[in-house]
Amino acid sequence: MKLLLSILFIALCLSIAKASVPDVSNSYLGAGDPGVSHFPSYLGLKMHIRCYANVTTANQNGPIALFDAGLPFFSTAWVSIIPSVLQNMPAWNISKACFMDRYGYGWSDVSPIPVITQDYVMRLHGSLAVAGLTGKYILVGWSWGSIFVQTFSLTYPKEVVGILTVDGTDSKWGLIPSNQQAVLVYTDVMRGYINMNNMGTLEPLARSGLVYSYYGWLPNELVSSGYTPCSLNASQEVLLDTTNKFLKTALQEYNIMVISSALLNFTYAIKGPNPLKDLPYVNVYSSYDTDPEWTTRQTFMASLSSNSLAVQFTTGHFFVFHNPTAIVSGLTALTNKIATNPAQQWGQGNGFFYN
């Protein structure tokens, strides 16, 4: 009987995920998912933003937490933490938690040209306004998403009350020759996947476990890590879409990694020490024997603000898969910092190069 119910549940998830595009209203946590999908159109492109509201009445004016995933992932990458986020919203004093699909990923429109992070931040800000998701923000970025977190904070300082980076990409990343070489490798792999998808051979490769997670594939085994069959199926369908929307978007993003991080690094160089001033900041990161400089660069990231906390784990890069509890604990630490030691100097400027 239990096996039959499991089969029926998976079948329901599969049908919901396929039927819900572009609505996706039930494809994250399964039937009864309380989230709401927004599709604001700004400057000719629609963006998908998936939001979950605080169910209490006490925190309706609290900040909105915005989550941006690593490359090449999108909003479904965060499914493992959504139940904990829903549970902790009242204690964290946040009004909503929203998970974004950058252009071309998930259920957002494809951009005809690569969108560097600085332009994406401006477009995201406009999209949030169109969707009515305005107010103060807590920004959460995993991996490449941390470049967004830092750039958004510098661009709209009056609207950001705290940031959390999760094994985040630092501003020096694009200046390192080995990373520039890695971009070329990733690009070649994605071009190969596009050719395979056109021939119909990518799907069997992916389902046999030979397309790895760092290329955006969420395997069924992640159901043991808090992902629902619905979210896994939706993520897989997006990657395997026969228009190659996902794969081409990944190519676009690989092409803007160096310039986006270099521009951010240039901005920090102009601003000098503590460019984020006293903005509450928690940096959760892992250690890597293969890249001893990673810890040094993560320590540098923590020095961006005089009001920061850095916590190291041995989880590896995929916190969302292997240690979602660390992300939740990071959010708890950040919201405690916002409540007890909010910024006094941060947020007094008007824009990207404010002093």
Side-chain angles (χ1 to χ4, degrees), residues 209-263:
L210 295 178
V211 174
Y212 301 115
S213 293
Y214 45 82
Y215 291 118
W217 180 257
L218 271 60
N220 292 333
E221 289 77 12
L222 286 177
V223 73
S224 63
S225 301
Y227 290 84
T228 61
C230 295
S231 61
L232 294 176
N233 178 70
S235 303
Q236 293 166 358
E237 290 293 324
V238 166
L239 187 149
L240 295 171
D241 184 89
T242 55
T243 66
N244 293 315
K245 172 186 172 185
F246 173 94
L247 300 172
K248 290 178 179 178
T249 296
L251 276 178
Q252 285 187 339
E253 285 213 310
Y254 289 139
N255 286 328
I256 57 90
M257 291 184 78
V258 171
I259 187 172
S260 293
S261 60
L263 284 172

Side-chain angles (χ1 to χ4, degrees), residues 37-117:
S37 286
H38 301 268
F39 296 90
S41 180
Y42 182 74
L43 297 181
L45 292 174
K46 287 184 180 180
M47 179 179 291
H48 173 234
I49 305 171
R50 179 78 173 167
C51 292
Y52 293 81
N54 189 329
V55 297
T56 70
T57 58
N59 308 106
Q60 298 305 305
N61 295 321
I64 299 172
L66 301 179
F67 294 76
D68 209 336
L71 191 169
F73 297 90
F74 50 101
S75 54
T76 55
W78 298 102
V79 165
S80 61
I81 73 164
I82 292 177
S84 294
V85 169
L86 288 169
Q87 181 181 354
N88 284 283
M89 271 190 193
W92 291 343
N93 190 35
I94 63 176
S95 58
K96 290 183 179 68
C98 297
F99 305 85
M100 282 90 67
D101 291 343
R102 296 189 297 275
Y103 291 123
Y105 288 127
W107 295 272
S108 290
D109 282 352
V110 176
S111 172
I113 59 174
V115 179
I116 66 170
T117 300

Side-chain angles (χ1 to χ4, degrees), residues 92-244:
W92 291 343
N93 190 35
I94 63 176
S95 58
K96 290 183 179 68
C98 297
F99 305 85
M100 282 90 67
D101 291 343
R102 296 189 297 275
Y103 291 123
Y105 288 127
W107 295 272
S108 290
D109 282 352
V110 176
S111 172
I113 59 174
V115 179
I116 66 170
T117 300
Q118 288 71 16
D119 187 30
Y120 162 67
V121 159
M122 179 272 293
R123 287 174 169 273
L124 171 62
H125 187 263
S127 298
L128 291 168
V130 171
L133 301 169
T134 56
K136 302 294 185 180
Y137 299 111
I138 293 173
L139 306 179
V140 183
W142 165 49
S143 190
W144 183 248
S146 77
I147 294 289
F148 141 76
V149 163
Q150 298 169 70
T151 304
F152 194 104
S153 299
L154 291 167
T155 309
Y156 304 103
K158 291 185 177 180
E159 300 176 29
V160 179
V161 296
I163 62 174
L164 170 67
T165 53
V166 181
D167 218 40
T169 307
D170 61 286
S171 62
K172 299 180 184 296
W173 190 94
L175 306 179
I176 299 171
S178 60
N179 291 336
Q180 296 171 4
Q181 183 63 36
V183 168
L184 298 178
V185 173
Y186 298 152
T187 299
D188 286 343
V189 170
M190 283 298 174
R191 288 198 180 105
Y193 285 166
I194 289 172
N195 292 333
M196 293 179 68
N197 206 30
N198 289 338
M199 295 185 294
T201 58
L202 180 61
E203 181 169 0
L205 187 76
R207 299 201 183 280
S208 65
L210 295 178
V211 174
Y212 301 115
S213 293
Y214 45 82
Y215 291 118
W217 180 257
L218 271 60
N220 292 333
E221 289 77 12
L222 286 177
V223 73
S224 63
S225 301
Y227 290 84
T228 61
C230 295
S231 61
L232 294 176
N233 178 70
S235 303
Q236 293 166 358
E237 290 293 324
V238 166
L239 187 149
L240 295 171
D241 184 89
T242 55
T243 66
N244 293 315

Side-chain angles (χ1 to χ4, degrees), residues 320-339:
V320 291
F321 300 159
H322 304 135
N323 196 356
T325 302
I327 302 174
V328 175
S329 65
L331 273 166
T332 299
L334 177 61
T335 52
N336 285 340
K337 189 179 281 288
I338 293 169

